[in-house]
Amino acid sequence: MNAQLFEVCLRIGDDALISAQRLAEWSAAAPELEEDIALSNIALDQLGVARLMLSYAGEVEGAGRDEDALAYLRDDREFRNCLLVELPNAGPAAGPHAPIDFGVTMARLLFVSTYQLLLYQSLLDSSDERLRDIAAKARKESAYHVDHATQWTIRLGDGTEESHRRMQAAVDDLWPYTHELFTGTAPSGLVPDPASLRAPWLESVTDVLTVSTLTTPPDGWAPSGGRDGRHTEHLSYLLAEMQVLRRAHPGATW
Amino acid sequence: MSSDLWEVFVRPRRGLSHTHVGSVHAPDAAMALRNARDVYTRRQEGVSIWVVPAASITASSPDEKDSFFDPAADKVYRHPTFYEVPEGAEHL
Amino acid sequence: MSGPSLSPEPQGAQSLLDQVEQAERALKEAAARDRAHGEDEQSHFDAVIGAEQKVEPRDWMPDPYRKSLIRQIAQHAHSEIIGMQPEGNWITRAPSLRRKAILLAKVQDEAGHGLYLYAAAETLGISRDELVELLLTGRQKYSSIFNYPTLTWADMGAIGWLVDGAAIVNQVPLCRSSYGPYARAMIRICKEESFHQRQGYEILYTLARGTAEQKAMAQDAVDRWWYPSLAMFGPPDARSTHTEQSMAWGIKKFSNDDLRQRFVDMCVGQAEVLGLRLPDDALRFDDARGHYDYTAPDFEELAQVIAGDGPCNRQRISHRRRAHNEGAWVREAALAHARKHA
């Protein structure tokens, strides 16, 4: 099997899967009905990409694992998502029962979707045909996600004093986790070198933060490990919830 | 907050005209357009959307007993909520 | 690994879609028809109703008609919104990615349906803010069925099959409501709704053909959701207060018991195909009546649940209130931004 291609599919697929899982937490909980619908659309898009990527990963591996075997039967040390997507919607340092925070979700969506848009745009030139096909579909959807996050970042950053404070806190708390997106090696031709995405990402994100009257945090602490399966404590709780039913009935069809 | 009600018109494809499909709430025009797209078209391709603040619509209808030119009777909805009540005016 | 078995279409489902399309055609045909013109507002209104044409937002209407419509449409909208919670409960735990996607889409549709209905109610002169307030303060109700807990994944199947099935039986006649915006919203909703019942049925079909634990899970869910679904049609006709006037105004087309019977008749055959048992020993086809005899749900229990003492009433409202309150800063920010940049 092409081990590098398998890894690449897991990274992209796991980023999308865990993003979808976090976004799904907003169902019946959004600040307005229209927003509930919008966030579900984004979650469905991310889930769609996850399914395509994980299915492809299973084919590439050639060991009979399908999208569900990969999603439900891997332990957290085998997941390859970045740390940013697994953080709770309440924020990276929030306690276990803290309420989900719309500002955190929008800041995270801005950071993740801007990265995904650049990634999928680059993948249109991948040497792998399936990656090119998946990227073509994913890219259009990503553009909507960036737009949605941008609209809200602007309105929350440049809204009330309270929303400005909360949004700045969300940006500051999440910023350290963005650096991991641009680390790691890239099998040449398959995917872009992650480091090469940083400059365009920073330019896009900084533009949005500026319009939103928010400050771009300084670079400093840069936690990582997700791409090697070393996650935060949050991921195993997320996976426990996601996987429990499937694991309770081994071999069953749903 | 009737000021945040927007009427939505959708043209499903070229050659057809825009049709009223319902309304959405949004704080401004940009969000109204995006909300309308998410709610009424689920982001189908090739669809054109117009959003108009409900309060901006001037309306009449065929069977009315009111004079066509009665300025008080030209709002899109008949009932009081959709009239702006001036400051200090009670019991309206 | 084999995928889930695709179930046969639940029998009767196609005929419901046909009825929606018939309602849509009837709306267009009636609009083209001539009718008597009344001399005054009341007789004009009566003539429109009599010709099965639609009352529209700018028309004069009797105040009790308007109030009754607001109540009915609003409660329907609130039901969609609250109904997102019991099903939303299982999105993060859905046992396959395909089921997760389907459930997310279904709950999203419910939000959309609530939104269409709030929009229809607003044409009658009430704002969305007022409607939300009426729900949160308990002054307007929502369907009692959503006050029951979803305890297992199989509940997703039972809700899709039974609860959505009952909702469709209730809703199809509303596509012929005399009030234009409500009829149009209902036609849109019913067309989107048909996939929901199909998905629930498919979940149960798969479980019933799965492991012994899965089959037991499915049967347990049906055992718990059957009688509450029957109760969705409301109290027996003899005890229902709003029916007569609502029927005269073309707001309500069939009685509670008529609709309940229609639902039972559809479900019996569907249950046989599933291989699951409806928890009623008295179910038997009566040749004389041409319908199934069945045990009525406990209407005293229904009354208690409506009055606020069902298993989840407090939790459902509290969840909605919390979401609303926690989102206030977001709504305020959006408004402040709009004002700054107007």
Side-chain angles (χ1 to χ4, degrees):
Chain A
M1 98 147 140
N2 184 337
Q4 290 182 327
L5 179 55
F6 181 63
E7 272 297 308
V8 157
C9 289
L10 288 186
R11 287 181 186 189
I12 300 172
D14 288 347
D15 277 353
L17 178 63
I18 304 302
S19 292
Q21 187 74 354
R22 283 297 186 212
L23 285 165
E25 291 172 13
W26 282 97
S27 185
E32 193 63 90
L33 208 43
E34 284 81 354
E35 190 57 27
D36 222 296
I37 293 169
L39 289 176
S40 296
N41 268 339
I42 298 174
L44 281 164
D45 288 344
Q46 296 277 2
L47 185 53
V49 173
R51 295 181 65 194
L52 290 171
M53 280 297 179
L54 291 181
S55 293
Y56 187 39
E59 284 171 43
V60 166
E61 188 190 36
R65 289 203 279 184
D66 66 2
E67 66 188 28
D68 288 333
L70 288 167
Y72 290 90
L73 301 178
R74 279 183 295 154
D75 292 332
D76 95 322
R77 297 284 280 110
E78 298 166 83
F79 273 76
R80 295 290 179 262
N81 55 283
C82 61
L83 305 183
L84 180 58
V85 297
E86 73 196 40
L87 302 173
N89 281 314
H97 303 293
I100 50 181
D101 185 313
F102 190 71
V104 168
T105 299
M106 284 302 113
R108 192 225 310 267
L109 185 64
L110 179 68
F111 298 153
V112 171
S113 62
T114 304
Y115 159 77
Q116 286 174 323
L117 180 56
L118 289 165
L119 173 68
Y120 299 144
Q121 180 67 45
S122 260
L123 284 179
L124 297 179
D125 297 321
S126 171
S127 56
D128 183 276
E129 185 186 353
R130 186 82 79 86
L131 288 183
R132 291 199 301 273
D133 289 343
I134 296 174
K137 177 177 187 291
R139 192 186 56 88
K140 267 189 234 174
E141 294 169 351
S142 260
Y144 283 119
H145 306 170
V146 172
D147 173 75
H148 193 83
T150 300
Q151 299 301 322
W152 274 113
T153 303
I154 291 172
R155 281 158 184 75
L156 297 177
D158 186 18
T160 60
E161 270 180 48
E162 182 189 1
S163 72
H164 179 91
R165 184 180 46 78
R166 290 177 74 149
M167 202 55 190
Q168 186 67 64
V171 166
D172 293 344
D173 291 345
L174 294 175
W175 194 256
Y177 295 91
T178 62
H179 305 301
E180 187 188 16
L181 297 171
F182 311 105
T183 60
T185 55
S188 77
L190 266 184
V191 293
D193 173 22
S196 71
L197 299 179
R198 218 244 163 176
W201 178 89
L202 188 60
E203 189 182 339
S204 272
V205 163
T206 309
D207 281 347
V208 176
L209 293 178
T210 305
V211 170
S212 309
T213 73
L214 295 165
T215 339
T216 305
D219 294 341
W221 177 52
S224 66
R227 302 304 189 201
D228 300 315
R230 278 189 333 275
H231 292 276
T232 67
E233 290 177 349
H234 304 295
L235 184 64
S236 54
Y237 283 106
L238 180 154
L239 293 179
E241 187 174 335
M242 192 174 88
Q243 298 178 340
V244 63
L245 183 56
R246 185 117 187 163
R247 287 181 183 260
H249 299 263
T253 300
W254 298 94
Chain B
M1 273 198 303
S2 60
S3 58
D4 69 348
L5 184 67
W6 301 74
E7 297 299 330
V8 180
F9 301 81
V10 170
R11 184 191 66 204
R13 54 191 170 278
R14 293 185 182 284
L16 302 177
S17 45
H18 284 76
T19 309
H20 181 244
V21 294
S23 61
V24 289
H25 281 260
D28 55 61
M31 293 306 290
L33 199 60
R34 286 152 174 83
N35 289 344
R37 184 174 61 206
D38 279 325
V39 172
Y40 289 103
T41 74
R42 303 294 165 92
R43 290 204 245 112
Q44 268 170 272
E45 299 290 327
V47 170
S48 167
I49 304 172
W50 292 345
V51 291
V52 184
S56 296
I57 294 181
T58 304
S60 77
S61 48
D63 300 327
E64 287 183 9
K65 301 299 173 186
D66 298 331
S67 157
F68 183 81
F69 296 104
D70 178 351
D74 67 353
K75 299 316 289 178
V76 66
Y77 301 124
R78 186 182 191 90
H79 298 283
T81 305
F82 294 87
Y83 290 84
E84 300 279 43
V85 176
E87 290 272 9
E90 293 174 12
H91 312 297
L92 273 177
Chain C
M1 179 171 300
S2 64
S5 359
L6 287 177
S7 58
E9 184 93 35
Q11 73 202 61
Q14 188 51 48
S15 77
L16 287 172
L17 263 181
D18 289 341
Q19 285 175 55
V20 174
E21 264 150 41
Q22 273 168 37
E24 200 172 18
R25 276 196 300 276
L27 189 158
K28 292 182 179 146
E29 282 159 19
R33 246 184 267 139
D34 269 344
R35 55 143 215 282
H37 286 266
E39 303 254 304
D40 61 14
E41 286 166 335
Q42 178 70 58
S43 56
H44 177 78
F45 172 82
D46 293 337
V48 166
I49 301 263
E52 298 203 340
Q53 292 178 339
K54 301 303 176 195
V55 177
E56 296 291 353
R58 285 187 57 84
D59 293 336
W60 178 88
M61 58 189 82
D63 213 49
Y65 174 86
R66 175 175 165 255
K67 291 201 159 77
S68 187
L69 266 175
I70 288 178
R71 181 188 58 81
Q72 185 179 353
I73 298 173
Q75 294 193 166
H76 191 170
H78 298 323
S79 298
E80 296 280 352
I81 301 312
I82 297 293
M84 294 168 70
Q85 290 181 42
E87 291 177 279
N89 194 25
W90 282 89
I91 292 172
T92 51
R93 292 176 293 172
S96 78
L97 297 186
R98 177 172 170 262
R99 292 289 179 207
K100 192 194 291 283
I102 291 171
L103 187 55
L104 241 175
K106 179 176 198 277
V107 174
Q108 181 193 45
D109 273 357
E110 281 153 23
H113 295 171
L115 196 152
Y116 303 154
L117 291 165
Y118 283 135
E122 286 186 281
T123 67
L124 289 161
I126 188 166
S127 71
R128 175 140 11 130
D129 282 350
E130 287 171 280
L131 290 168
V132 167
E133 186 65 21
L134 288 164
L135 170 65
L136 293 182
T137 54
R139 281 160 56 212
Q140 273 179 347
K141 303 270 177 213
Y142 53 91
S143 181
S144 55
I145 193 71
F146 300 119
N147 291 315
Y148 293 90
T150 48
L151 300 177
T152 71
W153 172 254
D155 290 33
M156 298 300 100
I159 287 179
W161 176 40
L162 298 174
V163 174
D164 288 339
I168 290 172
V169 170
N170 257 326
Q171 283 170 187
V172 165
L174 296 173
C175 296
R176 291 177 184 263
S177 165
S178 57
Y179 188 57
Y182 192 24
R184 288 188 289 275
M186 289 316 306
I187 288 170
R188 197 184 187 101
I189 288 171
C190 286
K191 285 178 178 174
E192 291 180 4
E193 196 80 53
S194 59
F195 114 94
H196 295 179
Q197 197 202 13
R198 174 64 189 263
Q199 294 304 331
Y201 196 70
E202 193 189 276
I203 288 175
L204 289 177
Y205 190 82
T206 305
L207 293 174
R209 276 151 193 74
T211 66
E213 287 84 8
Q214 285 178 305
K215 180 157 188 177
M217 194 195 287
Q219 184 62 62
D220 167 70
V222 170
D223 289 347
R224 283 182 288 104
W225 287 92
W226 174 246
Y227 285 107
S229 299
L230 291 186
M232 279 176 76
F233 295 94
D237 293 346
R239 282 200 252 163
S240 180
T241 49
H242 297 285
T243 299
E244 229 182 277
Q245 180 63 87
S246 294
M247 286 177 74
W249 278 331
I251 291 175
K252 191 172 166 61
K253 302 277 181 177
F254 298 100
S255 78
N256 294 351
D257 288 338
D258 284 343
L259 294 175
R260 193 174 358 252
Q261 181 69 72
R262 188 180 295 189
F263 176 67
V264 172
D265 292 342
M266 271 173 40
C267 287
V268 171
Q270 292 171 354
E272 278 164 18
V273 170
L274 286 178
L276 296 171
R277 203 191 133 260
L278 293 174
D280 183 358
D281 290 329
L283 264 177
R284 188 188 316 105
F285 191 76
D286 181 332
D287 290 307
R289 291 197 309 123
H291 294 287
Y292 281 92
D293 291 338
Y294 63 94
T295 308
D298 181 348
F299 290 112
E300 296 314 319
E301 198 225 332
L302 173 65
Q304 274 178 32
V305 174
I306 289 173
D309 286 342
C312 296
N313 299 52
R314 291 161 179 80
Q315 172 191 333
R316 299 285 180 241
I317 288 294
S318 153
H319 176 116
R320 184 90 298 277
R321 186 177 293 122
R322 197 168 50 241
H324 188 73
N325 292 346
E326 282 169 14
W329 72 276
V330 174
R331 295 189 298 271
E332 281 156 21
L335 203 59
H337 182 266
R339 289 199 178 121
K340 279 194 244 186
H341 298 272

